Amino acid sequence: MARWSQASRKLLSATLLLLRDRMKTVLSRYCTHVKGRGGVKGTVRGLARQDGDFCFVARFDIASYYDSMQHHVLLNLLVQTGMEEPLCALVRQYLELPDLNRTGRGIIAGGALSPLLGSLYLLPLDNAMERLVNADKIYYVRYMDDLVILAKTRWRLKAAIRELILVRHSLDLDLHQKKRFLGRIDSGFDFLGYRIHSSRKVRPSGESLQRLVTRARRLYEQGADGCRLRQYVARWTRWLWGGLDGLVLRKGGVKHYTVFVLKQLQIIGITSSQV
């Protein structure tokens, strides 16, 4: 963690604008969390619209994404992109000042520059996957430290995973042991809060539904009635459906998810008008 002074925050804001301008042509188009690259909904739309030619999927998560980044690797990547020395010097200070133990590793997860620098750190991976995409061997997309590879055959998927592992070693990163899925697309897989199937409409993942119930329970414990809970669920469904017209399951509407939440909370005595 780091607490920046007001002057430092202004400097970081200016640095962020400069970095965005310099890196907009450098960062891969397959890195979708960068501003203007589609975000969560654009990423999910792209996956949901893939045709049936892709039969196999691998979904991975980088373990301790920000904590694992090596400063010298990141700074070398900046130099390789042709970044001016004054900007490199500012980034160097951004990395080194919070590193009190001088480990040379890790960046601030909530820092102003971190999402952009995180995009750059995995640029070698994006470039390696892009070569396979251009050869019509896979579909690839990455949002922050979450990535998905679709392939038409099992051996093409394995080849892409081997390439991923080689790049991972060069960047000294680890893949999360639990947050991964390898298998057939028609089995469905979770990504960015959604459950994606090859032949079905997108729906919320189990983790998303669990977060919905957890937050609704907190509201209920704080005194929220059925009407207030329904309003919260309605806002959640607007997020769920937003930007995915025709691709997301809307069966049952807000009432379906409201009833689901009330059952999970084991709330009785809520009238139908409140639902």
Side-chain angles (χ1 to χ4, degrees):
M1 296 182 62
R3 178 171 294 179
W4 305 100
S5 66
Q6 185 174 358
S8 294
R9 288 197 295 270
K10 290 181 179 179
L11 181 59
L12 285 173
S13 297
T15 304
L16 177 61
L17 293 176
L18 289 172
L19 281 175
R20 277 180 181 164
D21 181 65
R22 302 295 192 277
M23 293 170 61
K24 62 185 177 183
T25 59
V26 173
L27 296 177
S28 171
R29 61 193 176 98
Y30 299 104
C31 176
T32 56
H33 75 271
V34 178
K35 186 177 182 180
R37 301 290 175 87
V40 170
K41 298 310 176 87
T43 306
V44 174
R45 283 197 303 269
L47 283 168
R49 288 170 175 165
Q50 294 310 303
D51 57 38
D53 287 343
F54 293 108
C55 300
F56 299 93
V57 57
R59 186 259 182 179
F60 294 105
D61 182 280
I62 305 296
S64 304
Y65 182 43
Y66 285 125
D67 291 340
S68 301
M69 294 180 190
Q70 297 193 66
H71 297 174
H72 75 276
V73 173
L74 189 52
L75 292 169
N76 285 340
L77 286 169
L78 273 176
V79 172
Q80 291 172 20
T81 61
M83 201 68 62
E84 301 92 332
E85 174 53 31
L87 266 179
C88 289
L90 287 170
V91 172
R92 190 177 299 110
Q93 292 182 53
Y94 177 80
L95 298 174
E96 293 177 351
L97 286 175
D99 186 16
L100 300 178
N101 295 324
R102 298 295 180 259
T103 62
R105 181 187 291 268
I107 65 177
I108 304 166
L113 308 184
S114 296
L116 201 57
L117 296 177
S119 304
L120 180 64
Y121 198 86
L122 287 177
L123 181 61
L125 173 61
D126 295 338
N127 289 340
M129 293 297 107
E130 185 171 3
R131 289 190 289 270
L132 297 178
V133 172
N134 291 339
D136 195 30
K137 294 183 177 180
I138 64 167
Y139 176 93
Y140 167 76
V141 68
R142 177 174 67 85
Y143 188 93
M144 296 289 285
D145 57 336
D146 291 326
L147 60 99
V148 166
I149 302 170
L150 306 182
K152 299 177 182 179
T153 63
R154 194 183 301 274
W155 70 265
R156 284 184 173 177
L157 183 67
K158 289 182 178 179
I161 293 173
R162 283 196 296 269
E163 190 70 24
L164 165 66
I165 291 173
L166 286 174
V167 177
R168 174 188 72 80
H169 281 305
S170 68
L171 297 175
D172 195 21
L173 295 173
D174 293 318
L175 298 176
H176 202 289
Q177 295 301 310
K178 293 184 179 180
K179 296 181 180 179
R180 61 170 63 189
F181 175 81
L182 291 91
R184 299 188 64 88
I185 294 178
D186 54 18
S187 298
F189 64 97
D190 294 346
F191 192 59
L192 301 181
Y194 289 90
R195 183 75 177 171
I196 300 172
H197 292 78
S198 57
S199 58
R200 303 181 191 175
K201 288 191 174 183
V202 173
R203 60 199 67 205
S205 68
E207 186 177 352
S208 283
L209 291 173
Q210 186 56 51
R211 285 200 298 266
L212 169 66
V213 172
T214 298
R215 291 168 182 170
R217 177 175 286 109
R218 290 173 185 165
L219 284 175
Y220 182 65
E221 290 172 349
Q222 293 168 7
D225 60 8
C227 183
R228 177 71 179 86
L229 290 174
R230 186 190 186 283
Q231 290 173 354
Y232 171 71
V233 175
R235 288 198 301 272
W236 180 84
T237 53
R238 285 198 292 271
W239 165 82
L240 178 72
W241 298 333
L244 297 174
D245 291 344
L247 298 173
V248 64
L249 183 69
R250 301 178 66 119
K251 184 177 180 180
V254 175
K255 184 174 182 178
H256 169 78
Y257 291 108
T258 304
V259 172
F260 168 78
V261 166
L262 295 179
K263 286 183 177 179
Q264 291 296 308
L265 299 184
Q266 299 181 336
I267 298 175
I268 59 175
I270 301 295
T271 66
S272 58
S273 63
Q274 289 177 303
V275 174

